[in-house]
Structures are given as C-alpha cells and as structure tokens.
Amino acid sequence: MADTLFLIAGGIIILSLFVAAIRFFLGPDPVDRVIAFDVLTIISISLIALIAHEAGRGIYLDVAVVYGLLSFLGVIVVAKYLERGL
Amino acid sequence: MVRKIFVIILLIGLGWFFYGMADSFHGSDSLNMTASYYAENGAEEVGAANLVTAIVVTYRGLDTLGEVTILFLTAAIAAFFLKSKEEFSKRDVKPSSELLQTAAGMLVPLIFVLGVYVFVNGHLSPGGGFQGGAIIASGLVLLLLSKPLQKVNSRFFALVESFSGLFYVGIGVAGIFLAGGFLDNSILPLGEFGTLLSAGILPVIYILVGLKVGSELSGLLTKFQETQEEN
Amino acid sequence: MEVLQITGGFVSLIGAVFLFLGSLGIVRMPDSYNRIQTGTKATTLGTLMFLIGVGLYNPSWFPKLIVLIFFILFTNPVSSHVLARAAYSIGTELTKLTVVDKLKDSRGEDIDA
Amino acid sequence: MLSVIIIIALTILVLAAAILAVQTTNLVVAVISAGLVSLMASVGYLFLSAPDVAMTEAAIGSGLSTIIFFYVLNRVRGKDHG
Amino acid sequence: MKNLFISVVLLLSVWLLLNASLSPVVIVSGLIVTAIIAIFFSARNPVFKDMKLNPKAIIYFFLYFFVFTFELFKANLDVAKRVISPKLPINPGIVEVRTRLTSKIGRLFLANSITLTPGTLTVDIKNDSLFIHWIDVSSTDIEGATKKIVENFEKYLEVIYG
Amino acid sequence: MDFGLVAVVVGFLLILIGIWGILTQKNIVKIVIGFSIFDTGLHAIMVGIGYLKGRTAPILDSAVSPADALTSIVDPVPQALVLTAIVIGLGVTALMLAYVVRLYDYRKSLDISSYEDLKW
C-alpha cells in the first residue's frame, strides 16, 4: 500500500521534472531559466530523498543537505551577476 | 564550413570507436581482486566505515598528498596570472539588499558548521576533506556576495594552509617511525568501529585535508573576486 | 506501524502533487515575477511535505530531515527575493495585465529629489 | 521499474542540457546549462551507488565551478555578449 | 553576550541533529566547533542581539509558527487554484507597504513570511517601505495594503524581535 | 537494464558533445565550458565501470555489515579515483579561466580567431 503510494509520488516527481525543464529550455530571458534551475534543484532534493527511501540508506540524505545549500548559492550568484553587483 | 565537415568526420570516427568499447562492455558480477581485498580487510585494517575514505586516505594516501600539492600549485599559478595591475578600490557596485545581508549573517556560521560536520564524519558517512573544504569555501563566497567590497585577509588563509599541510606531512612521517609506514593510520588505537572516534589517526588527517583544501579554494575564489574591475 | 507508513505515503503523494503544480505554474504564468511566485510557494511546501512523508516512513531519519526542512524554509524565500530584485533592476518587463507599479513611482521620485 | 524511468529521464535531461550549453550564443545560459549537467549527473551517481562522488560533483563541479565562471564573466563583460 | 549564547545554542542543535546522536564525544566536539565558529562571527556581525528571551516571546514564537504554517497551506491552495483554472485569473501589480519593525532580523522574517503567504512576493526594501508584487491587487493605497499583507505577522514578530 | 552500461553510453555521448563544442565554438569561454562537459563525461564512464548490478554503496553501517561486504557493495576503487579527478578538474578549469582573463586584458576580445600570433 505505502509502496504503491511512493511509486505514484515518484512518477509525479519525474513528470514535474520534465515540465520544469520545458521552461528551462524555452525560457526567453536568463531570469526565466534561473527560476527553472531553482525549481529543478528543489525537485532534485525530493528525488534524492526518494532514492534514499528506495535504497534504504539514510546516509544518502547528506547529499540532499549539500544540494539545499547549492540551490541557494547558485541562484544568488546569477542574480548578483545580472544586477551588476558581484 | 570545411572545418565543420572535418570535425563531423572526426566525431563519427570517435563515435564508432566508442561504440565498439561500449558494445564490448559487460558489467561483472563480482568484485575484482583489489576491490575484494579492500572489501574484506578494509574494515579491520583501517577501521573506517566508508571504504572510499579508507582508500583515499590510507591505501592511496600518497596520491591524495600529490593531489593537494597540485591544487596548491594551481591556486598559486592562477593567483600569479590574476595579479591586478593597479588598485581597484574605486569600484562601483550595486549594494546588496538588506535582507540578503541579514540572511548571510545567519547562514554563514551554519554553512561552516555543515562543512566541519562533513569532514569530521568523513570516515562514517559520504563526504570528507575535499567536500567539506568546498562547502567552507562556498560559505566564504556567500559572505563576499552579501558584501562585495569587504576586504578579506588572505594572509590568514595562507597561514592555515601552510600549518595544516605541515601537520599532514608530519603525521605521515610519524607513521614511518611509530607504525607500519608513511601515512599509516594505526598511530592511534583503532577504537570501536562506526563511532566518531575510530579509525586511528584518519579523522585527524581528513580534518587537516579539509582545512587545507578549504583555505586553498577560498584563496583562489577571493583572488578571482578581487580582480573584478569597474567596466 | 502500518498506519504510520500509509500516512507517510499519502503525505508525500500530496507533496509531489504540489511540486507538479509549481512546475506547471512556471510554464503557464505570463511574466517572470508571477513565475517566481508560483515557483517559490508551491515547491517549498511540496518538498517539505515530501520530506515529512519520507520521515514518517523511516522515523530514524527525522533529525537530518528537520535540518533540511528548516534550511529550505529559510533560504527559499531569500533567494526568490534576491532574484526578483535583480530582475526588476535590469528592467524585466511586467506583463500587460499589471494594474499598478509603485516601485517605479518611488524610483522616479528619487531621481527628481 | 521506477528507477528505470528515473534514469531515462535523467539521461534525456543531461544530454539536452549539454547540447544547449554547447550551442547557445548567450554565455549566461551556457554556464547555467553546464551547471545543470553536473547537477543531474550527480543525481545519477546516487543511482550508481556512489554517494561520495555525488556529493563532490554537487559541491565542486556544480557549485564552485559555476561561481568561478560567473566571476570571470563579470570581469570580461563587454558590449557584444550579455 | 546574548548574541553569542543564542548562536552557540542554535549551531549546537544543528550539529546534534546532523550527527543524530547524544553521545558525550559528539557533544564535546560540537561544543568546541560551535564555540570557535560563534566567537569568530558574533563579534563582527551580531545578528541575534535584538532577540528577546522572556516567556511571552517564546509563547508568541509558537503562535507565530502555527499562524505561518496555516498561511503557507492557504498560499499553496491559492496557487493551485490559479494554476489549474484555464482562464489564469491574475491581476498583478507592485504595491508599497510600511512596517513598524526596526530590528534587521525581524524584518527578514517578515519579508520571508510575506513571500511565502498567498499571492505576495517581496521585491525590494527601502528603509521602512517594502515593495511587494501582489498577484491579485485589491487595494492600491499604502494603508489598505499594509492592513491586508503585513499586520497579520507584525503583531507576533513585534513581540519576538522588537 | 544495466545502469552501468547506461552511464558508460551517456559518458561517451557527453565526451562527443564536449569535443564538438571545443572544436567548433569561437568564444574562449564556450571552449572552457566544452572542456568541463568532457570532464563530466569521463567521470560518468569511470563510475559506470565500477557499478555492479543490484549492489549498494561501499559504506558499512547498520544496513551493510562488514561480514557480508564482499557480496553487497560496489567497487570502491573507481569512486576514489573519480573523487580525485573532480577536484583536479576544478583546478584545471580555474587555471584556464585565469588565462582567459589574462588574454582578455591583452587584446579585449574573447574571439579565438583574433589570437593568430602562433598560427602558421
């Protein structure tokens, strides 16, 4: 029962990964692509949690913590570059 | 145009070559000889739960020493090439928003704690000196992003870097006299498997590697940041 | 235990649905600011609920998940604020549906004064 | 079953982002796409049971490389590219 | 001193949560690491010095947390409604609101709360004025917008951070 | 489906894309980006070679005991090598970008065809 629910949730996450990637490849401005990049990294955190759950290894969550840091830092670097404040 | 045709022909040739390699690739079912030695004896000999760490720090420890040296040389050469011609003190940058400065003030200590966690637990969980050093350098970058005109004391990085490198080599030489060889980790007792204080001197080596890599990458990044000029 | 696991499955399913709505929002919305809005809100709650669901299934993972949840809850709004500010300062256009733009008015006053 | 779908999705995303990074004329988009290649590859490394490599690729390949690229882009910012 | 104490407590709790254990070795090493980092940073950047530690502030902190969670759920249902409906019912604009909060950390939490609540996003901050992108503008003057967006959180944050 | 084979194929394709970028692009920064994609492809191949079907990460904890490590973990040696390679890759990228900055100072151009001094 619970495994089926996680399977469906995983399918929806993959679908949203593709939908966000559409905006990344389409996006007219760099700003739009940065938003899509941010959303893609945050979806990847969920994906890592799902992989850790499937593999049954809690230590994979360390990678997710590093991801959370990087999604923040990457967006800020690009934003500061765009507004000429680097 | 002729150039692109040549490139396409070259890529098709390389692709054919790669296809042959990928076609003959078949995953094996068991570990090869070296890997099965590490898998069988790594936990007893080194006492580290993370076998990748055991290989990086102990079995192939000399490679890691060389790698840290290469990184040091890279940082030094890049700093030499980026040497600024004059003082760029009159830079005109758009200041950060107040919210980012406050958030950076709260987050930077947290990021440093995360980096220290990653390299102290290198023998138990994924991560280690290189990753922890990179996280600490990212924390420094966040500080620089929130206040771009702030001066960073690069002599402090040089000091930390030299001392950790010195102690790293010192522990390696101490291994020759007190234990089996260069960078042998059984100078200290191995301790109980799977706890924070285990695997002999290995956590100390990884802490030193983390400090060294962190200060090297911080120095490299501040060098890139300092050469921004008004344009 | 069974009840806890099924609850975890449902919570993470709802989280995944919110993630999907967030990514649908960044495709459908007409301008960058509205995209930032939907992108931030829906993905924050979606990730949060997914992580809580995984934590309900494996209760021993909760400490690390709590750090992750608070980190996301704190950093996500800050990064979207910085991005929105950068987008405004390089003159990203607002959509034609926009009703009022007080920030432009105040910037005009600054130049006059 | 789920893992097969995930690995196919990651493969498509990595290759598409790599082609975008090489082909686009806007340097900002190229650097962000190169960062996306590293990021998706590092999720893939978790599937290959290599969490150490995944963490290194995320922290160094995607994080610090992108930061250095943007510092250099800001330094060489001219009129002909954005 | 208060700043140093709060920093050490926060960082130590993060360290313990990351290690997920309470053995003496972990606690001692955590104390050493967090004390060094906190002393290093709190001298030049005292962020927590405006925080209050009386019982009323702690009670209000929990109240604020519940209000915030409720608003977060409301925001997401709002986003879901707007994204799903085929007509895309938006009426966006940037409005100006004023805040009474003076401490920096209080303003940071206010801006974060505004960003995560229904249909609003903090675009810029200048002294006391917050400029907010609102997805469904219902009042364009400063007082009306302030009443609708800010006051719900301000009454809690004022007690916690002053 | 063998994930190791998938990783090897993706790695080869990334190498081809990277070489295409290095050889056809005119902008120096784009050439460096092509090199970094090439690098990622190499790492993917090495990790893919070390993967064994149905096994887990080489970290021994409550999920994997030291006794049955031989039959349940993947090959740790390629992972240790890739760890080194990624860090060196960052160093090489930083060095190339320092040269880019120096070249730009010298001639105020990022186009590779304006540097013809050594061409014969």
Side-chain angles (χ1 to χ4, degrees), chain A:
Chain A
M1 178 67 187
D3 291 335
T4 323
L5 288 172
F6 273 106
L7 195 69
I8 300 169
I12 295 173
I13 286 179
I14 294 297
L15 206 61
S16 44
L17 206 64
F18 270 111
V19 174
I22 292 174
R23 176 51 73 194
F24 185 84
F25 292 115
L26 222 61
D29 275 4
V31 175
D32 295 320
R33 292 182 203 259
V34 180
I35 299 163
F37 180 80
D38 191 18
V39 172
L40 279 171
T41 45
I42 292 169
I43 294 174
S44 303
I45 293 175
S46 302
L47 198 57
I48 291 172
L50 183 70
I51 294 169
H53 167 77
E54 294 279 320
R57 305 294 299 267
I59 45 177
Y60 287 7
L61 290 177
D62 283 14
V63 185
V65 178
V66 177
Y67 253 72
L69 160 68
L70 286 169
S71 92
F72 176 65
L73 207 63
V75 172
I76 285 185
V77 168
V78 186
K80 296 286 287 183
Y81 169 77
L82 289 175
E83 68 173 9
R84 293 177 180 250
L86 211 60

Side-chain angles (χ1 to χ4, degrees), chain C residues 17-26 28-29 34-45, chain E residues 71-85 88-90 115-120 135:
Chain C
V17 170
F18 276 124
L19 280 176
F20 178 69
L21 287 175
S23 51
L24 196 65
I26 66 166
R28 283 200 68 196
M29 286 292 170
N34 290 314
R35 283 177 200 142
I36 297 175
Q37 288 239 14
T38 50
T40 314
K41 290 187 193 39
T43 52
T44 307
L45 188 70
Chain E
E71 289 285 325
L72 184 59
F73 270 93
K74 222 168 73 182
N76 277 277
L77 295 179
D78 182 66
V79 166
K81 196 185 72 194
R82 282 179 212 283
V83 169
I84 290 176
S85 63
L88 212 65
I90 56 171
T115 304
L116 287 176
T117 46
T120 50
I135 209 166

Side-chain angles (χ1 to χ4, degrees), chain B residues 185-201:
Chain B
N185 75 324
S186 52
I187 301 174
L188 296 178
L190 286 186
E192 189 189 344
F193 182 77
T195 53
L196 194 58
L197 286 184
S198 66
I201 201 88

Side-chain angles (χ1 to χ4, degrees), chain C residues 5-113:
Chain C
Q5 292 185 353
I6 292 175
T7 320
F10 271 112
V11 171
S12 33
L13 187 60
I14 297 169
V17 170
F18 276 124
L19 280 176
F20 178 69
L21 287 175
S23 51
L24 196 65
I26 66 166
V27 174
R28 283 200 68 196
M29 286 292 170
D31 71 345
S32 301
Y33 304 96
N34 290 314
R35 283 177 200 142
I36 297 175
Q37 288 239 14
T38 50
T40 314
K41 290 187 193 39
T43 52
T44 307
L45 188 70
T47 314
L48 222 121
M49 289 186 72
F50 191 86
L51 294 178
I52 290 175
V54 171
L56 286 175
Y57 195 96
N58 312 284
S60 62
W61 297 1
F62 250 118
K64 222 166 268 178
L65 287 173
I66 288 172
V67 175
L68 194 52
I69 285 170
F70 274 97
F71 201 81
I72 290 172
L73 206 57
F74 185 74
T75 58
N76 229 353
V78 176
S79 68
S80 59
H81 155 70
V82 174
L83 189 59
R85 189 172 182 264
Y88 196 89
S89 79
I90 61 169
T92 307
E93 287 181 16
L94 293 148
T95 174
K96 287 197 180 66
L97 299 169
T98 307
V99 186
V100 58
D101 186 359
K102 280 277 173 67
L103 188 52
K104 194 167 98 193
D105 301 348
S106 88
R107 187 157 292 169
E109 283 166 19
D110 281 352
I111 293 168
D112 289 342

Side-chain angles (χ1 to χ4, degrees), chain D residues 4 11 15 18-19 21-24 27 30 45 47-51 53 56-57 60 65 68-69 72 75-76 81, chain F residues 1 7 10 14 17 20-21 25 30 32-33 43-44 47 51 55-58 79 82-83 86 90 97 104-105 110:
Chain D
V4 174
T11 306
L15 292 178
I19 291 172
V22 170
Q23 278 303 320
T24 180
L27 285 181
Y45 292 147
F47 267 100
L48 301 171
S49 305
V53 181
T56 320
E57 183 80 41
I60 293 178
S65 299
I68 292 181
F69 266 113
V72 170
R75 178 72 160 72
V76 301
H81 53 86
Chain F
M1 192 160 162
V10 171
L14 283 178
I17 293 171
W20 167 259
Q25 295 297 320
K30 292 290 288 296
V32 181
I33 289 174
H43 303 158
V47 176
Y51 180 73
R55 296 194 179 196
T56 186
Q79 295 190 16
V82 173
L83 214 68
I86 291 174
L90 174 78
L97 286 173
Y104 183 80
D105 279 352
L110 285 180

Side-chain angles (χ1 to χ4, degrees), chain F residues 22-39:
Chain F
I22 291 171
L23 292 181
T24 59
Q25 295 297 320
K26 296 281 188 207
N27 194 320
I28 313 178
V29 180
K30 292 290 288 296
I31 294 174
V32 181
I33 289 174
F35 173 81
S36 94
I37 290 174
F38 183 110
D39 219 23

Side-chain angles (χ1 to χ4, degrees), chain E:
Chain E
M1 206 56 221
K2 187 167 75 178
N3 181 39
L4 191 68
F5 175 71
I6 296 176
S7 309
V8 169
V9 168
L10 276 179
L11 294 178
L12 188 65
S13 58
V14 169
W15 174 268
L16 293 178
L17 284 172
L18 279 172
N19 276 291
S21 91
L22 279 175
S23 68
V25 176
V26 172
I27 293 176
V28 170
S29 61
L31 269 177
I32 295 170
V33 168
T34 53
I36 291 172
I37 291 175
I39 290 170
F40 198 73
F41 278 100
S42 68
R44 72 177 61 172
N45 198 356
V47 248
F48 296 108
K49 72 173 191 301
D50 297 319
M51 210 162 156
K52 291 175 184 154
L53 280 178
N54 49 18
K56 194 186 173 195
I58 293 170
I59 292 170
Y60 267 64
F61 179 77
F62 284 102
L63 281 177
Y64 163 75
F65 194 74
F66 281 116
V67 170
F68 173 73
T69 316
F70 178 68
E71 289 285 325
L72 184 59
F73 270 93
K74 222 168 73 182
N76 277 277
L77 295 179
D78 182 66
V79 166
K81 196 185 72 194
R82 282 179 212 283
V83 169
I84 290 176
S85 63
K87 283 209 311 287
L88 212 65
I90 56 171
N91 184 23
I94 297 179
V95 297
E96 181 181 357
V97 297
R98 295 206 190 284
T99 174
R100 293 196 303 269
L101 297 175
T102 51
S103 70
K104 287 192 167 183
I105 181 166
R107 289 186 196 193
L108 172 68
F109 273 85
L110 180 67
N112 276 3
S113 311
I114 288 172
T115 304
L116 287 176
T117 46
T120 50
L121 165 73
T122 317
V123 176
D124 210 341
I125 181 167
K126 282 175 188 163
N127 301 328
D128 280 350
S129 309
L130 291 159
F131 292 90
I132 295 192
H133 182 267
W134 202 352
I135 209 166
D136 191 7
V137 175
S138 54
S139 65
T140 54
D141 59 324
I142 294 177
E143 286 78 25
T146 307
K147 205 176 192 77
K148 279 196 174 155
I149 297 175
V150 176
E151 292 207 333
N152 198 4
F153 298 114
E154 206 173 40
K155 62 184 180 216
Y156 298 106
L157 289 172
E158 202 166 27
V159 178
I160 305 173
Y161 302 113

